[in-house]
Amino acid sequence: MFTTVSSHVCRHGQGKLLLRLLVLKNARLCNSNSSIGKGIRSYATEHAHHEARIENIRNIGIIAHVDAGKTTTTERMLYHSGRTRHIGNVDHGNTTTDFLPMERERGITIQSAAVTFQWPPKSVLLNGQESKTINLIDTPGHQDFRYEVDRCLPILDGAVCIMDGVKGVETHTERVWQSAHLSNIPRLLYVNKLDRDGASFKRAVQEAAARLKTWPLLCQIPWWQKDEFVGVIDVIHEVGLRFSKNSGAMTVVPKETLATHNPALKDEMEKARLHLIDKLSDQDEGIMEEYLERDINVSSGTIKKAIRRLIIDGEAKFTPVFAGSSLTNIGVQPLLEAVVDYLPNPSERPELRLITGSKTVTFSEFMETAPKKKGAPHQKPEPVLSVSHVFKVVDSGARGLMSWVRTYHGSLSRSSHMWNSNMHVFEKPQNIMHVSAKDYHDIQTLPTGHIGAMTGLKQARTGDTLLTFPGHQAQAPEAYRSVRIKAPETPPAVAFISIEPYTKTAGDKIVDALQRLSREDPSIRWHKDERSEQLILSGMGLLHLEIAQDRLLTHYKIEKETAIWGDIEVEYSECLFAPTRPHHHEYDRALRGVAGRAACTVLLEPLKACHHDTLLESSIERDGNVIHVSIPLPQNTDELPFDTETVRQQLFNGAIAGLSRGPRRSAPVRKCHVHITFDPEKDWSKNSTGGHITNAALFAVRAALKEAHENAQVGILEPFTNFTIHCPEEASHAIQHDISSARGGQVMEVRKPEEDDYSGSVDGQGGERIDLTRVYVPPDPYEGVQSLRDEGKKMSGSVRMLHIMGKAPLKEMMKYDGHLRSMTGGRHTLTLDPGEFELVTGPREKALALEG
């Protein structure tokens, strides 16, 4: 019935893409033992990390809300690229990237996993073409693992954001979208699960415009045959792509055939293309000129170049949109084509930015203005051979701690003598490896733009910057000693579990495991309670701590019977009600047998919005607090007898340690502004060490907090969570009453899903307004028409559903899903998203006083 490609298509410059898809289709249909199948797998396996030219590299991430289909999409990408022989299934626990036992047991992604493959595979390349090396990171979608997403996103050059076609934009979708926006990462939007009952491509696109604040550029529209989702319509090339649900094989259907068998679909395709060209012509002069010359016959190549130019800055004012159903093998190959066509290579990304002292500059600016050698002002600064960023540390068991690295400048080898500018030490790797899910393959070098892992780094942590210089030096050149790439911020912990070892031996083993675990995942913190001598393990939520506990027991081989494990509880915080008076503290004790002295003055006050608005370069924001250090210059001198940045960091460390335990509940202090003054003439002496300076700040902060508590000026904060409950209307009143009266929460909005209003406008990224009425989307297949299935639902009595949105204390919501099950008969979904820390008052404060 369907032809594959026509001379008409080829005349419009679209034959190369379609021929490649056809060859790929035939290659995938070959028996897995055929020479073509073996060739694809052999190439993908043996040359997965070949030193591709930087123009041929794509470092991308898959981001989405939990259960939107990230891992399922990744599995299809690996299969169609020839990287794997069989398609893994999340429900069967045999996927490539979800390889941890807890991931396979729960069916969710817990830690990010990296895989590398080529697209297109070598066997389907046309003359003169080269494969693109795609380094893909599959990230978690659960909100408890948001730090895992945040530390991976900045090292990527592009991302595919996946939306559930049934649920639309969800809370974590918005959050990861915003995280990608902060790093200016170009994005593609893939509407998945369009084969499911209740899926709506129209609603998903409208929600993307309204909630993600981006103008959707529809590159594809869904292809429905009655009530079955069978493929996608390529709006740019004006063809249909129909897929076999079993093998994923494609049939390319030209425009003429569509016009014969489905004229309405052909008309919708032309309408979609006209809307796309019209929007692009408003933004791109090149496409406007061709549009005026050729009317609507703008070539596909011109359209794709215009789209690429619009999204490459990463501001997401515009986002290409694609459709599919990864589980049924629909739409994945065209999505891979879009990754290659639209997302940038590392050399096309904005220049690397470095933090030097209190300034942030580009790499080239820094090299131009780097301080020269003393005594040789006319010489250029010593060259930097390479600049790399450690974005993740993994304890792999037999191989030990592995540092995942992205190289931005130069290349790394096993002989590299690397300066860690965060830890101020030189380190040398034992091995450099290419990462492929749970497998690692030794490589000789890690070139610019590539992602890999290194073993043997004893000091490296997440966020550290590594630099190499000519020769082997005992100390890094002064100009580069403290230069670093911005590290990801660690969000405050909201829950904890207490661990009480029975013996000292058991306690030492647990402490060692906690140190290694927190180095793997900095969002896991731990400390020893001074009063109870319990070990307190803190994390981002219930699931996060359950996974951490399981890793302690299974990976680090801690025997559960050697300690008392408490229940997971909410972590409260403390705050100030009023400013304190200035506290001056002098620390003059001997440290490790070394005498010394240092002092500082500290003033604490409640954090206000103006402190964020006027955040100074000499300030840092950490764990919900802002810390400012002032080091005034002495009179009659332009130089200080110490390194300002080093002393400032030591004072920061002391203040952070002092705020880690408040005076009222030994809980962390938040929402506090700390002003530290360090007078070089009075507070510093020649025998001042880093330890003395840090302890001066620590004890000054503690003294100020202690006095505030004695004056009843310390309050209690508890973490709130924003919730969305999708439930039957008949249960909604009971749920709202329970949340408001018994849980201390607040219902903000109740609405029916079908009442979403897309008739207004929103502020888009970059400040431009998006008129939602002008956003083109094709009608859904049953819009205005009742299907037999819908009639059946009416006859049996359909359940009317509502969305309930609001905020409530996290303590009340951590295990609320089980309570909801009894109220709704299991016909509900509950989504929690991190909220703010809010003051505990009234009955809840009295209950806490009785507990403590």
Side-chain angles (χ1 to χ4, degrees):
M1 173 181 174
F2 297 119
T3 58
T4 53
V5 70
S6 69
S7 58
H8 171 78
V9 173
C10 291
R11 279 198 305 270
H12 280 78
Q14 301 160 7
K16 286 187 177 180
L17 169 70
L18 302 181
L19 284 171
R20 190 164 73 210
L21 294 177
L22 289 170
V23 176
L24 177 65
K25 163 196 163 185
N26 294 332
R28 297 308 306 172
L29 287 175
C30 287
N31 186 278
S32 62
N33 293 321
S34 70
S35 60
I36 293 179
K38 286 182 178 178
I40 293 174
R41 287 193 301 278
S42 175
Y43 176 82
T45 303
E46 296 176 16
H47 303 280
H49 193 78
H50 70 287
E51 292 190 13
R53 293 186 300 113
I54 195 168
E55 294 82 4
N56 289 335
I57 299 173
R58 300 291 185 273
N59 294 317
I60 70 166
I62 303 289
I63 58 174
H65 189 89
V66 65
D67 201 35
K70 296 182 306 300
T71 302
T72 300
T73 302
T74 301
E75 283 296 315
R76 270 65 184 175
M77 287 180 170
L78 294 175
Y79 175 73
H80 289 299
S81 69
R83 182 67 183 81
T84 57
R85 183 179 300 186
H86 304 290
I87 298 178
N89 189 297
V90 172
D91 295 331
H92 298 163
N94 60 354
T95 59
T96 302
T97 53
D98 286 353
F99 53 84
L100 293 179
M102 285 291 283
E103 290 179 315
R104 294 186 168 183
E105 177 185 329
R106 293 174 179 258
I108 61 170
T109 301
I110 292 170
Q111 68 172 15
S112 54
V115 287
T116 298
F117 56 92
Q118 273 67 49
W119 187 266
K122 187 176 181 180
S123 59
V124 302
L125 292 176
L126 302 176
N127 291 334
Q129 286 187 317
E130 294 181 86
S131 289
K132 302 295 187 289
T133 297
I134 299 177
N135 299 315
L136 182 147
I137 294 183
D138 181 16
T139 64
H142 195 281
Q143 54 114 1
D144 278 14
F145 306 109
R146 58 191 180 276
Y147 178 76
E148 183 74 5
V149 181
D150 288 347
R151 67 175 171 177
C152 292
L153 275 176
I155 62 99
L156 299 174
D157 302 316
V160 177
C161 183
I162 300 180
M163 281 176 60
D164 187 322
V166 178
K167 299 176 181 177
V169 175
E170 301 174 83
T171 51
H172 198 63
T173 314
E174 292 181 280
R175 196 196 168 279
V176 296
W177 187 270
Q178 185 60 29
S179 294
H181 186 68
L182 292 175
S183 298
N184 288 113
I185 296 175
R187 279 145 277 174
L188 307 179
L189 194 59
Y190 175 60
V191 182
N192 191 24
K193 300 189 178 184
L194 289 174
D195 62 312
R196 302 283 184 91
D197 287 346
S200 172
F201 184 74
K202 178 179 180 179
R203 185 180 68 245
V205 173
Q206 288 174 327
E207 284 191 6
R211 296 176 61 180
L212 302 183
K213 296 177 173 47
T214 185
W215 191 284
L217 302 174
L218 267 60
C219 299
Q220 294 175 349
I221 60 175
W223 183 354
W224 300 87
Q225 187 167 322
K226 295 183 179 179
D227 61 350
E228 183 183 6
F229 180 54
V230 297
V232 296
I233 300 299
D234 188 328
V235 171
I236 296 174
H237 296 95
E238 295 186 279
V239 294
L241 301 174
R242 185 162 181 158
F243 296 80
S244 165
K245 293 186 177 181
N246 294 324
S247 66
M250 274 184 311
T251 302
V252 181
V253 184
K255 183 177 180 179
E256 296 88 346
T257 306
L258 287 175
T260 302
H261 296 93
N262 197 333
L265 185 60
K266 189 269 296 183
D267 292 342
E268 195 66 47
M269 175 181 69
E270 292 179 341
K271 182 179 179 182
R273 195 173 197 271
L274 185 59
H275 275 276
L276 177 62
I277 293 171
D278 183 57
K279 190 62 189 175
L280 292 175
S281 63
D282 290 341
Q283 308 293 326
D284 190 277
E285 291 184 3
I287 202 169
M288 169 63 81
E289 292 174 2
E290 187 166 336
Y291 181 56
L292 294 175
E293 290 175 4
R294 303 180 58 179
D295 195 14
I296 63 172
N297 270 333
V298 179
S299 68
S300 59
T302 302
I303 294 174
K304 291 164 77 171
K305 288 177 183 177
I307 292 174
R308 199 171 199 272
R309 285 192 293 267
L310 281 181
I311 74 167
I312 205 166
D313 61 4
E315 293 185 8
K317 294 179 182 178
F318 303 89
T319 304
V321 179
F322 301 86
S325 170
S326 298
L327 186 64
T328 55
N329 300 302
I330 297 177
V332 176
Q333 299 97 313
L335 181 62
L336 281 169
E337 287 292 325
V339 167
V340 168
D341 289 338
Y342 300 122
L343 296 182
N345 66 63
S347 67
E348 296 173 306
R349 295 288 289 132
E351 191 175 2
L352 174 67
R353 299 187 70 80
L354 298 172
I355 299 172
T356 169
S358 58
K359 299 179 180 179
T360 301
V361 297
T362 64
F363 179 75
S364 59
E365 288 173 344
F366 173 75
M367 293 305 296
E368 290 174 2
T369 59
K372 313 299 186 291
K373 282 185 175 182
K374 290 184 178 179
H378 301 294
Q379 291 185 10
K380 291 184 178 179
E382 296 188 35
V384 177
L385 296 183
S386 70
V387 179
S388 304
H389 181 63
V390 179
F391 67 93
K392 182 173 177 174
V393 176
V394 176
D395 192 327
S396 64
R399 291 182 179 269
L401 287 170
M402 305 183 64
S403 303
W404 288 25
V405 174
R406 159 77 189 262
T407 306
Y408 287 97
H409 170 73
S411 64
L412 294 174
S413 68
R414 283 184 291 182
S415 61
S416 295
H417 192 52
M418 301 182 299
W419 172 254
N420 186 324
S421 62
N422 296 76
M423 304 301 293
H424 282 210
V425 295
F426 273 109
E427 296 201 78
K428 185 177 179 180
Q430 291 178 348
N431 300 94
I432 299 180
M433 290 165 290
H434 162 240
V435 182
S436 181
K438 64 180 178 179
D439 300 320
Y440 299 89
H441 310 286
D442 287 344
I443 55 177
Q444 297 301 311
T445 61
L446 193 66
T448 300
H450 278 268
I451 296 170
M454 294 187 292
T455 60
L457 303 188
K458 298 178 180 180
Q459 302 284 336
R461 307 164 304 172
T462 295
D464 285 357
T465 302
L466 306 176
L467 303 101
T468 61
F469 311 101
H472 289 264
Q473 307 177 31
Q475 182 65 274
E478 186 176 349
Y480 306 105
R481 203 163 293 168
S482 298
V483 173
R484 64 191 188 277
I485 299 169
K486 184 181 179 181
E489 293 185 6
T490 307
V494 298
F496 74 92
I497 182 173
S498 61
I499 308 170
E500 189 172 350
Y502 285 121
T503 66
K504 185 179 183 303
T505 302
D508 291 343
K509 187 176 181 181
I510 294 174
V511 166
D512 179 66
L514 289 174
Q515 289 174 338
R516 296 171 69 184
L517 181 63
S518 60
R519 188 173 170 190
E520 271 196 288
D521 183 357
S523 64
I524 291 176
R525 294 92 176 271
W526 71 277
H527 69 274
K528 188 172 184 178
D529 189 278
E530 295 175 347
R531 291 181 294 183
S532 66
E533 295 193 351
Q534 292 177 330
L535 299 172
I536 307 299
L537 177 64
S538 304
M540 305 308 300
L542 180 66
L543 179 59
H544 191 210
L545 286 176
E546 286 178 351
I547 299 301
Q549 183 179 357
D550 177 80
R551 190 154 177 80
L552 287 172
L553 299 176
T554 57
H555 182 77
Y556 292 105
K557 309 300 180 185
I558 301 297
E559 297 180 10
K560 193 170 186 179
E561 295 76 16
T562 61
I564 300 173
W565 301 76
D567 293 330
I568 295 176
E569 302 178 49
V570 162
E571 178 156 295
Y572 292 91
S573 300
E574 303 181 25
C575 66
L576 290 178
F577 290 147
T580 68
R581 65 178 180 85
H583 278 73
H584 183 80
H585 186 86
E586 181 177 309
Y587 190 86
D588 57 2
R589 302 177 195 172
L591 292 175
R592 297 179 182 176
V594 178
R597 171 197 165 275
C600 68
T601 302
V602 166
L603 173 66
L604 308 182
E605 59 182 322
L607 189 64
K608 301 176 182 177
C610 62
H611 293 135
H612 290 284
D613 298 337
T614 58
L615 196 63
L616 301 174
E617 290 182 346
S618 54
S619 303
I620 65 167
E621 191 169 1
R622 185 72 58 84
D623 294 336
N625 303 303
V626 171
I627 305 170
H628 172 67
V629 173
S630 174
I631 305 179
L633 277 172
Q635 292 182 353
N636 304 321
T637 180
D638 293 330
E639 292 187 5
L640 292 172
F642 51 79
D643 181 62
T644 307
E645 291 307 315
T646 300
V647 170
R648 181 174 279 112
Q649 189 59 54
Q650 290 161 352
L651 292 167
F652 282 147
N653 292 341
I656 291 167
L659 294 169
S660 64
R661 297 178 197 172
R664 187 167 172 181
R665 292 178 58 92
S666 295
V669 178
R670 307 202 192 284
K671 296 188 176 182
C672 181
H673 182 264
V674 183
H675 187 102
I676 304 174
T677 302
F678 186 81
D679 189 334
E681 293 183 329
K682 300 177 181 178
D683 298 334
W684 186 84
S685 64
K686 290 183 179 180
N687 60 353
S688 294
T689 67
H692 289 91
I693 296 171
T694 298
N695 277 293
L698 185 153
F699 284 100
V701 169
R702 285 188 176 178
L705 289 171
K706 182 179 179 181
E707 183 179 281
H709 180 45
E710 291 171 351
N711 295 330
Q713 295 296 326
V714 177
I716 304 297
L717 299 170
E718 67 175 330
F720 267 57
T721 182
N722 301 313
F723 64 82
T724 301
I725 300 172
H726 187 65
C727 66
E729 185 177 25
E730 60 191 32
S732 63
H733 294 293
I735 292 172
Q736 292 177 63
H737 178 75
D738 182 62
I739 288 174
S740 301
S741 60
R743 309 285 169 178
Q746 182 180 358
V747 175
M748 313 293 288
E749 184 181 359
V750 180
R751 61 176 173 80
K752 299 174 184 176
E754 61 271 17
E755 291 178 347
D756 289 335
D757 183 16
Y758 300 111
S759 60
S761 61
V762 296
D763 288 324
Q765 305 288 2
E768 296 181 9
R769 298 289 292 177
I770 298 177
D771 185 351
L772 300 177
T773 60
R774 294 186 58 208
V775 174
Y776 162 76
V777 278
D780 287 324
Y782 302 116
E783 198 168 306
V785 180
Q786 290 289 334
S787 69
L788 293 175
R789 183 165 50 195
D790 293 331
E791 291 294 337
K793 286 181 181 178
K794 277 192 171 184
M795 295 293 291
S796 61
S798 61
V799 178
R800 296 184 64 185
M801 305 295 284
L802 293 178
H803 284 316
I804 303 174
M805 288 157 286
K807 63 178 183 177
L810 178 63
K811 179 180 181 180
E812 304 294 341
M813 303 301 289
M814 278 203 303
K815 299 181 180 179
Y816 197 60
D817 191 60
H819 183 70
L820 275 178
R821 194 170 290 112
S822 64
M823 301 175 73
T824 65
R827 298 174 297 175
H828 75 277
T829 58
L830 170 65
T831 303
L832 301 178
D833 195 49
E836 300 290 333
F837 279 85
E838 299 195 12
L839 189 65
V840 181
T841 58
R844 295 186 66 81
E845 186 178 20
K846 293 179 181 178
L848 275 180
L850 293 174
E851 290 177 13

